[in-house]
């Protein structure tokens, strides 16, 4: 297979390298500022098969944008699908979803108020979606009690499990395909048994969601 283009990002703060393949197949190698070209080529050569595999898998995946203009006609993702935002004046605020359209009715259609109200809608939908999934997977994992679950606007991940068992999920998970959102929850529940991404964690997660 033809090797995909690689973006190399150097950073004086970075102490080790990381390799990522994102939606659309974009490949990013982040390295410390003083990494030599030979060291970079060594990393790429060693992980060539992994890069090609991930690149092929993600070529047809479109990224879900979480930042945009909150105005009429803007495209927002909800439940993994693009929806056109339609705004209209109304005495009482309300959000409704039809095929490919997300309607928002509000007294004040200024962008900041629209953004706040729709983000609250996404958070409410995430909470509604996650509660039955938490019960489902807690039962399958034979947990003695439900772990504390909260939603937050995480900056760098979709989910987080703390060493005391508290789980935080991104409040915009309802914007992803439900299959991916469920995977995030299961991923974090697996950390209740393994607080790392080692072989034990990977086996448990793969057994639950191949």
């Amino acid at each position: 297979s033809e090797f995909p283009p690689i973006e190399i990002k150097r950073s004086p703060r970075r102490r080790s390298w990381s390799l990522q393949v994102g939606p659309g197949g974009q490949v990013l190698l982040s390295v410390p500022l003083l990494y030599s070209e030979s060291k970079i080529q060594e990393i790429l050569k060693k992980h060539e098969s992994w890069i090609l595999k991930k690149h092929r898998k993600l070529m047809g995946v479109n990224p879900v944008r979480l930042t945009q203009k909150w105005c009429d006609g803007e495209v927002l993702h909800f439940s993994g699908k693009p929806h056109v935002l339609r705004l209209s004046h109304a005495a009482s605020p309300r959000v409704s979803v039809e095929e490919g359209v997300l309607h928002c009715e509000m007294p004040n259609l200024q962008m900041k108020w629209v953004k706040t109200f729709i983000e609250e809608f996404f958070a409410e939908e995430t909470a509604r979606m996650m509660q039955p999934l938490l019960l489902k997977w807690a039962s399958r994992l034979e947990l003695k009690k439900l772990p504390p679950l909260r939603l937050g606007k995480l900056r760098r991940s979709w989910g987080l499990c703390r060493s005391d068992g508290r789980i935080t999920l991104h409040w915009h998970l309802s914007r992803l395909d439900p299959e991916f959102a469920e995977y995030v929850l299961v991923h974090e529940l697996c950390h209740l048994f393994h607080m790392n991404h080692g072989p034990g964690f990977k086996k448990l997660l793969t057994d639950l969601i191949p």
Side-chain angles (χ1 to χ4, degrees):
S1 299
E2 182 179 350
F3 207 70
I6 311 288
E7 179 184 353
I8 309 296
K9 184 177 180 181
R10 296 178 181 271
S11 171
R13 296 183 179 181
R14 180 170 285 276
R15 294 293 176 264
S16 61
W17 61 269
S18 72
L19 185 60
Q20 300 174 343
V21 182
Q26 301 92 341
V27 184
L28 172 64
L29 174 61
S30 301
V31 299
L33 182 63
L34 299 180
Y35 256 38
S36 65
E37 186 63 30
S38 61
K39 179 67 174 176
I40 290 174
Q41 293 305 316
E42 178 186 338
I43 294 170
L44 295 177
K45 182 66 177 177
K46 183 177 180 180
H47 296 87
E48 180 177 356
S49 61
W50 181 87
I51 294 172
L52 290 172
K53 180 181 177 181
K54 288 289 186 180
H55 178 72
R56 286 193 297 268
K57 182 177 181 180
L58 295 172
M59 273 292 290
V61 176
N62 294 318
V64 173
R65 293 188 300 128
L66 296 187
T67 57
Q68 59 275 298
K69 296 177 181 178
W70 301 85
C71 57
D72 190 78
E74 180 69 6
V75 176
L76 307 178
H77 274 81
F78 178 68
S79 197
K81 298 178 180 178
H83 288 70
V84 177
L85 177 61
R86 291 303 179 197
L87 304 178
S88 59
H89 286 280
S92 300
R94 187 173 77 96
V95 174
S96 59
V97 181
E98 296 179 7
E99 186 66 31
V101 180
L102 194 150
H103 296 276
C104 178
E105 301 171 80
M106 294 182 65
N108 189 333
L109 295 179
Q110 289 185 28
M111 190 179 296
K112 64 177 182 179
W113 298 115
V114 172
K115 177 180 183 295
T116 298
F117 187 61
I118 295 181
E119 285 191 331
E120 288 177 356
F121 167 77
F122 289 142
E124 290 170 359
E125 288 296 303
T126 299
R128 182 187 62 79
M129 173 177 60
M130 285 299 162
Q131 198 55 41
L133 290 176
L134 179 61
L135 293 172
K136 165 188 170 181
W137 287 102
S139 174
R140 286 194 58 178
L141 289 165
E142 299 182 347
L143 299 179
K144 294 181 179 179
K145 62 177 183 179
L146 291 179
L149 179 65
R150 65 179 292 270
L151 301 181
K153 198 170 186 178
L154 302 174
R155 294 184 60 193
R156 297 183 180 275
S157 64
W158 288 110
L160 178 67
C161 181
R162 303 183 187 278
S163 58
D164 61 4
R166 289 180 297 156
I167 292 177
T168 303
L169 299 178
H170 200 297
W171 62 351
H172 280 182
L173 276 175
S174 60
R175 304 185 67 179
L176 300 185
D177 185 294
E179 182 180 3
F180 296 149
E182 184 171 9
Y183 171 84
V184 173
L185 173 64
V186 177
H187 180 111
E188 301 310 328
L189 288 173
C190 287
H191 279 311
L192 298 175
F193 301 88
H194 303 278
M195 287 302 297
N196 52 51
H197 292 111
F201 170 87
K202 291 179 180 178
K203 182 181 186 309
L204 176 59
L205 181 57
T206 303
D207 288 344
L208 295 172
I209 302 185

